[in-house]
Amino acid sequence: MFNFPSCRTIVSVSPFGLKLETWLRLHKIPHTVTRKIMVWSQKGQIPFVELNGQEYNESNLIIAKLTEHFGVKDNLTDEQEGLARGLEMMLENQTVYSYFYYRYVEDVVNFINTWEFCGYLLRQFLYFTFPRGYGKKVFYHGIGRNSVAEMYDMGFQDIMALSRALGNKQFLFGDEPTTADCYAFGHLAQILYIPINYPHKKFMRESTPNLCEYVDRMKERFWPDWDKLSLENLQGSP
């Protein structure tokens, strides 16, 4: 698979790439990872994968394809499958826009400064282009037509919903992780582990401590090499 390079505190700055890599580890699917920023899918996206010489892109579609190809499943009931789908789409279609607004608009300089895989000139360019481009993106999505406080509150409410779904369980649907946990981890790890002051991070630490413990638990379970990979891939693959 192809993914973004790392920062010092996180394996991938892409929640979608981190979700996909964690899912591959969950199902023990053999794979290799190339970490670059100048190699994009046919749709202009990262991550993407190559399987038997065929490119597959869009992380949700990749998971669907690989689920079918390798015959893996989560052993959930129909009711749990429905809930999992709702939680996954909440994270991918609202929560992400809430916390992305902070890192790409309000605190873009500090965020981009964690990207050691970018040279000085590219970082200067991104300081200028990300806020304008992402501001337009969230406006056309719809969430950006609200105030910043309202956008953040939508994210807070999503995080609280996820916290309530988790409750006192080890993982979202019991003692064993499923695909939905990979989605949750991919997004929540961005908030907790990237060293910028997301308001969502403060909210999680103060209001949803069970999620903070859960994210650490997912990292320990699937990423014993987290620190090593993060430091080894700061510049991406050659």
Side-chain angles (χ1 to χ4, degrees):
M1 72 168 287
F2 292 80
N3 201 353
F4 280 97
S6 303
C7 292
R8 290 183 178 271
T9 56
I10 195 165
V11 170
S12 175
V13 295
S14 165
F16 313 107
L18 183 56
K19 167 190 70 181
L20 179 57
E21 275 199 72
T22 305
W23 184 85
L24 291 169
R25 289 182 173 220
L26 167 66
H27 290 292
K28 299 181 173 61
I29 295 174
H31 63 282
T32 59
V33 182
T34 298
R35 302 183 188 278
K36 289 187 175 183
I37 58 169
M38 296 303 180
V39 178
W40 302 83
S41 73
Q42 295 170 4
K43 292 180 180 176
Q45 296 173 306
I46 301 176
F48 65 97
V49 303
E50 291 181 351
L51 177 66
N52 297 329
Q54 175 70 43
E55 177 186 301
Y56 297 95
N57 41 51
E58 169 56 53
S59 60
N60 297 326
L61 299 180
I62 294 169
I63 288 175
K65 174 63 181 179
L66 297 184
T67 295
E68 177 184 5
H69 181 84
F70 290 101
V72 297
K73 54 193 254 182
D74 288 328
N75 295 315
L76 299 178
T77 66
D78 288 347
E79 181 179 356
Q80 289 173 327
E81 287 278 8
L83 177 58
R85 176 69 174 177
L87 291 174
E88 291 162 8
M89 293 303 101
M90 175 189 76
L91 288 163
E92 301 268 293
N93 292 291
Q94 177 165 283
T95 317
V96 67
Y97 287 101
S98 178
Y99 75 82
F100 266 21
Y101 186 86
Y102 179 79
R103 78 188 205 179
Y104 287 121
V105 179
E106 294 218 305
D107 200 17
V108 65
V109 172
N110 285 324
F111 177 56
I112 297 303
N113 282 346
T114 69
W115 291 20
E116 295 182 46
F117 50 84
C118 285
Y120 173 79
L121 291 179
L122 179 55
R123 285 201 299 271
Q124 295 299 313
F125 175 73
L126 295 177
Y127 296 156
F128 176 75
T129 57
F130 267 163
R132 179 176 296 182
Y134 200 76
K136 289 182 179 179
K137 184 173 183 177
V138 294
F139 180 83
Y140 288 116
H141 171 275
I143 191 173
R145 297 169 190 260
N146 302 295
S147 70
V148 173
E150 288 169 332
M151 279 194 288
Y152 290 163
D153 188 62
M154 290 178 186
F156 298 162
Q157 295 309 311
D158 291 348
I159 291 167
M160 180 58 72
L162 197 63
S163 172
R164 289 169 175 163
L166 176 64
N168 295 321
K169 301 187 296 297
Q170 289 292 296
F171 303 101
L172 286 170
F173 293 101
D175 292 334
E176 293 298 322
T178 65
T179 298
D181 294 290
C182 299
Y183 276 76
F185 177 72
H187 288 281
L188 298 180
Q190 305 293 314
I191 295 171
L192 287 179
Y193 297 149
I194 292 176
I196 59 174
N197 294 321
Y198 292 107
H200 308 72
K201 184 181 299 186
K202 182 175 185 290
F203 180 84
M204 285 183 65
R205 287 175 172 168
E206 292 180 354
S207 302
T208 62
N210 66 327
L211 285 183
C212 298
E213 295 169 1
Y214 162 74
V215 174
D216 288 341
R217 190 157 54 245
M218 284 287 292
K219 180 163 77 79
E220 290 169 6
R221 172 101 175 226
F222 294 108
W223 293 94
D225 51 352
W226 181 275
D227 293 338
K228 179 175 180 289
L229 284 178
S230 296
L231 292 176
E232 285 179 353
N233 292 283
L234 293 175
Q235 302 301 324
S237 305

PDB file of all heavy atoms in Angstrom, residues 122-135:
ATOM      1  N   LEU A 122       8.097  23.972   0.314  1.00  0.00           N
ATOM      2  CA  LEU A 122       6.773  23.355   0.256  1.00  0.00           C
ATOM      3  C   LEU A 122       5.954  23.704   1.492  1.00  0.00           C
ATOM      4  O   LEU A 122       4.754  23.989   1.385  1.00  0.00           O
ATOM      5  CB  LEU A 122       6.906  21.836   0.125  1.00  0.00           C
ATOM      6  CG  LEU A 122       5.581  21.055   0.066  1.00  0.00           C
ATOM      7  CD1 LEU A 122       4.669  21.562  -1.044  1.00  0.00           C
ATOM      8  CD2 LEU A 122       5.849  19.556  -0.099  1.00  0.00           C
ATOM      9  N   ARG A 123       6.598  23.721   2.649  1.00  0.00           N
ATOM     10  CA  ARG A 123       5.864  24.101   3.865  1.00  0.00           C
ATOM     11  C   ARG A 123       5.362  25.534   3.762  1.00  0.00           C
ATOM     12  O   ARG A 123       4.217  25.831   4.148  1.00  0.00           O
ATOM     13  CB  ARG A 123       6.752  23.928   5.101  1.00  0.00           C
ATOM     14  CG  ARG A 123       6.946  22.487   5.505  1.00  0.00           C
ATOM     15  CD  ARG A 123       7.382  22.357   6.959  1.00  0.00           C
ATOM     16  NE  ARG A 123       8.645  23.010   7.217  1.00  0.00           N
ATOM     17  CZ  ARG A 123       9.830  22.430   7.091  1.00  0.00           C
ATOM     18  NH1 ARG A 123       9.912  21.165   6.691  1.00  0.00           N
ATOM     19  NH2 ARG A 123      10.936  23.070   7.355  1.00  0.00           N
ATOM     20  N   GLN A 124       6.176  26.449   3.243  1.00  0.00           N
ATOM     21  CA  GLN A 124       5.735  27.839   3.079  1.00  0.00           C
ATOM     22  C   GLN A 124       4.528  27.918   2.150  1.00  0.00           C
ATOM     23  O   GLN A 124       3.585  28.683   2.394  1.00  0.00           O
ATOM     24  CB  GLN A 124       6.886  28.687   2.511  1.00  0.00           C
ATOM     25  CG  GLN A 124       8.084  28.827   3.429  1.00  0.00           C
ATOM     26  CD  GLN A 124       7.750  29.506   4.746  1.00  0.00           C
ATOM     27  OE1 GLN A 124       7.091  30.540   4.768  1.00  0.00           O
ATOM     28  NE2 GLN A 124       8.180  28.910   5.841  1.00  0.00           N
ATOM     29  N   PHE A 125       4.541  27.131   1.109  1.00  0.00           N
ATOM     30  CA  PHE A 125       3.428  27.099   0.161  1.00  0.00           C
ATOM     31  C   PHE A 125       2.161  26.565   0.847  1.00  0.00           C
ATOM     32  O   PHE A 125       1.068  27.129   0.679  1.00  0.00           O
ATOM     33  CB  PHE A 125       3.809  26.209  -1.020  1.00  0.00           C
ATOM     34  CG  PHE A 125       2.715  26.000  -2.016  1.00  0.00           C
ATOM     35  CD1 PHE A 125       2.325  27.015  -2.885  1.00  0.00           C
ATOM     36  CD2 PHE A 125       2.060  24.774  -2.091  1.00  0.00           C
ATOM     37  CE1 PHE A 125       1.303  26.817  -3.805  1.00  0.00           C
ATOM     38  CE2 PHE A 125       1.039  24.563  -3.011  1.00  0.00           C
ATOM     39  CZ  PHE A 125       0.662  25.590  -3.871  1.00  0.00           C
ATOM     40  N   LEU A 126       2.306  25.513   1.642  1.00  0.00           N
ATOM     41  CA  LEU A 126       1.143  24.906   2.296  1.00  0.00           C
ATOM     42  C   LEU A 126       0.560  25.814   3.372  1.00  0.00           C
ATOM     43  O   LEU A 126      -0.660  25.808   3.591  1.00  0.00           O
ATOM     44  CB  LEU A 126       1.531  23.552   2.889  1.00  0.00           C
ATOM     45  CG  LEU A 126       1.938  22.484   1.867  1.00  0.00           C
ATOM     46  CD1 LEU A 126       2.382  21.214   2.571  1.00  0.00           C
ATOM     47  CD2 LEU A 126       0.800  22.195   0.900  1.00  0.00           C
ATOM     48  N   TYR A 127       1.408  26.592   4.057  1.00  0.00           N
ATOM     49  CA  TYR A 127       0.901  27.548   5.041  1.00  0.00           C
ATOM     50  C   TYR A 127      -0.162  28.450   4.403  1.00  0.00           C
ATOM     51  O   TYR A 127      -1.150  28.826   5.053  1.00  0.00           O
ATOM     52  CB  TYR A 127       2.016  28.457   5.573  1.00  0.00           C
ATOM     53  CG  TYR A 127       3.122  27.806   6.347  1.00  0.00           C
ATOM     54  CD1 TYR A 127       4.373  28.426   6.415  1.00  0.00           C
ATOM     55  CD2 TYR A 127       2.962  26.590   7.019  1.00  0.00           C
ATOM     56  CE1 TYR A 127       5.425  27.865   7.126  1.00  0.00           C
ATOM     57  CE2 TYR A 127       4.011  26.025   7.726  1.00  0.00           C
ATOM     58  CZ  TYR A 127       5.239  26.668   7.769  1.00  0.00           C
ATOM     59  OH  TYR A 127       6.277  26.111   8.473  1.00  0.00           O
ATOM     60  N   PHE A 128       0.086  28.812   3.167  1.00  0.00           N
ATOM     61  CA  PHE A 128      -0.795  29.757   2.472  1.00  0.00           C
ATOM     62  C   PHE A 128      -1.994  29.069   1.824  1.00  0.00           C
ATOM     63  O   PHE A 128      -3.120  29.566   1.881  1.00  0.00           O
ATOM     64  CB  PHE A 128       0.006  30.513   1.405  1.00  0.00           C
ATOM     65  CG  PHE A 128      -0.815  31.429   0.561  1.00  0.00           C
ATOM     66  CD1 PHE A 128      -1.274  32.647   1.056  1.00  0.00           C
ATOM     67  CD2 PHE A 128      -1.150  31.081  -0.740  1.00  0.00           C
ATOM     68  CE1 PHE A 128      -2.055  33.493   0.272  1.00  0.00           C
ATOM     69  CE2 PHE A 128      -1.919  31.910  -1.538  1.00  0.00           C
ATOM     70  CZ  PHE A 128      -2.376  33.127  -1.030  1.00  0.00           C
ATOM     71  N   THR A 129      -1.757  27.910   1.207  1.00  0.00           N
ATOM     72  CA  THR A 129      -2.812  27.294   0.404  1.00  0.00           C
ATOM     73  C   THR A 129      -3.798  26.457   1.206  1.00  0.00           C
ATOM     74  O   THR A 129      -4.987  26.408   0.869  1.00  0.00           O
ATOM     75  CB  THR A 129      -2.210  26.407  -0.698  1.00  0.00           C
ATOM     76  OG1 THR A 129      -1.359  25.415  -0.098  1.00  0.00           O
ATOM     77  CG2 THR A 129      -1.395  27.251  -1.673  1.00  0.00           C
ATOM     78  N   PHE A 130      -3.336  25.802   2.265  1.00  0.00           N
ATOM     79  CA  PHE A 130      -4.243  24.922   3.012  1.00  0.00           C
ATOM     80  C   PHE A 130      -5.436  25.660   3.617  1.00  0.00           C
ATOM     81  O   PHE A 130      -6.575  25.214   3.479  1.00  0.00           O
ATOM     82  CB  PHE A 130      -3.484  24.175   4.104  1.00  0.00           C
ATOM     83  CG  PHE A 130      -2.972  22.820   3.676  1.00  0.00           C
ATOM     84  CD1 PHE A 130      -1.983  22.188   4.413  1.00  0.00           C
ATOM     85  CD2 PHE A 130      -3.454  22.175   2.556  1.00  0.00           C
ATOM     86  CE1 PHE A 130      -1.499  20.941   4.036  1.00  0.00           C
ATOM     87  CE2 PHE A 130      -2.984  20.927   2.159  1.00  0.00           C
ATOM     88  CZ  PHE A 130      -2.001  20.315   2.915  1.00  0.00           C
ATOM     89  N   PRO A 131      -5.232  26.775   4.328  1.00  0.00           N
ATOM     90  CA  PRO A 131      -6.400  27.439   4.926  1.00  0.00           C
ATOM     91  C   PRO A 131      -7.439  27.859   3.894  1.00  0.00           C
ATOM     92  O   PRO A 131      -8.646  27.673   4.097  1.00  0.00           O
ATOM     93  CB  PRO A 131      -5.783  28.650   5.633  1.00  0.00           C
ATOM     94  CG  PRO A 131      -4.378  28.253   5.912  1.00  0.00           C
ATOM     95  CD  PRO A 131      -3.972  27.419   4.732  1.00  0.00           C
ATOM     96  N   ARG A 132      -6.988  28.424   2.798  1.00  0.00           N
ATOM     97  CA  ARG A 132      -7.934  28.861   1.769  1.00  0.00           C
ATOM     98  C   ARG A 132      -8.647  27.664   1.135  1.00  0.00           C
ATOM     99  O   ARG A 132      -9.872  27.651   0.997  1.00  0.00           O
ATOM    100  CB  ARG A 132      -7.198  29.671   0.702  1.00  0.00           C
ATOM    101  CG  ARG A 132      -8.088  30.139  -0.424  1.00  0.00           C
ATOM    102  CD  ARG A 132      -7.326  31.015  -1.397  1.00  0.00           C
ATOM    103  NE  ARG A 132      -6.870  32.258  -0.770  1.00  0.00           N
ATOM    104  CZ  ARG A 132      -6.219  33.207  -1.415  1.00  0.00           C
ATOM    105  NH1 ARG A 132      -5.935  33.075  -2.706  1.00  0.00           N
ATOM    106  NH2 ARG A 132      -5.841  34.300  -0.786  1.00  0.00           N
ATOM    107  N   GLY A 133      -7.879  26.649   0.775  1.00  0.00           N
ATOM    108  CA  GLY A 133      -8.467  25.492   0.113  1.00  0.00           C
ATOM    109  C   GLY A 133      -9.397  24.713   1.015  1.00  0.00           C
ATOM    110  O   GLY A 133     -10.481  24.298   0.595  1.00  0.00           O
ATOM    111  N   TYR A 134      -8.978  24.533   2.276  1.00  0.00           N
ATOM    112  CA  TYR A 134      -9.824  23.751   3.167  1.00  0.00           C
ATOM    113  C   TYR A 134     -11.054  24.534   3.593  1.00  0.00           C
ATOM    114  O   TYR A 134     -12.131  23.960   3.792  1.00  0.00           O
ATOM    115  CB  TYR A 134      -9.045  23.270   4.396  1.00  0.00           C
ATOM    116  CG  TYR A 134      -9.752  22.102   5.040  1.00  0.00           C
ATOM    117  CD1 TYR A 134      -9.687  20.848   4.457  1.00  0.00           C
ATOM    118  CD2 TYR A 134     -10.532  22.278   6.172  1.00  0.00           C
ATOM    119  CE1 TYR A 134     -10.373  19.780   5.000  1.00  0.00           C
ATOM    120  CE2 TYR A 134     -11.220  21.210   6.726  1.00  0.00           C
ATOM    121  CZ  TYR A 134     -11.131  19.959   6.130  1.00  0.00           C
ATOM    122  OH  TYR A 134     -11.827  18.909   6.661  1.00  0.00           O
ATOM    123  N   GLY A 135     -10.905  25.860   3.716  1.00  0.00           N
ATOM    124  CA  GLY A 135     -12.080  26.675   4.015  1.00  0.00           C
ATOM    125  C   GLY A 135     -13.163  26.516   2.966  1.00  0.00           C
ATOM    126  O   GLY A 135     -14.355  26.407   3.271  1.00  0.00           O
TER     127      GLY A 135
END
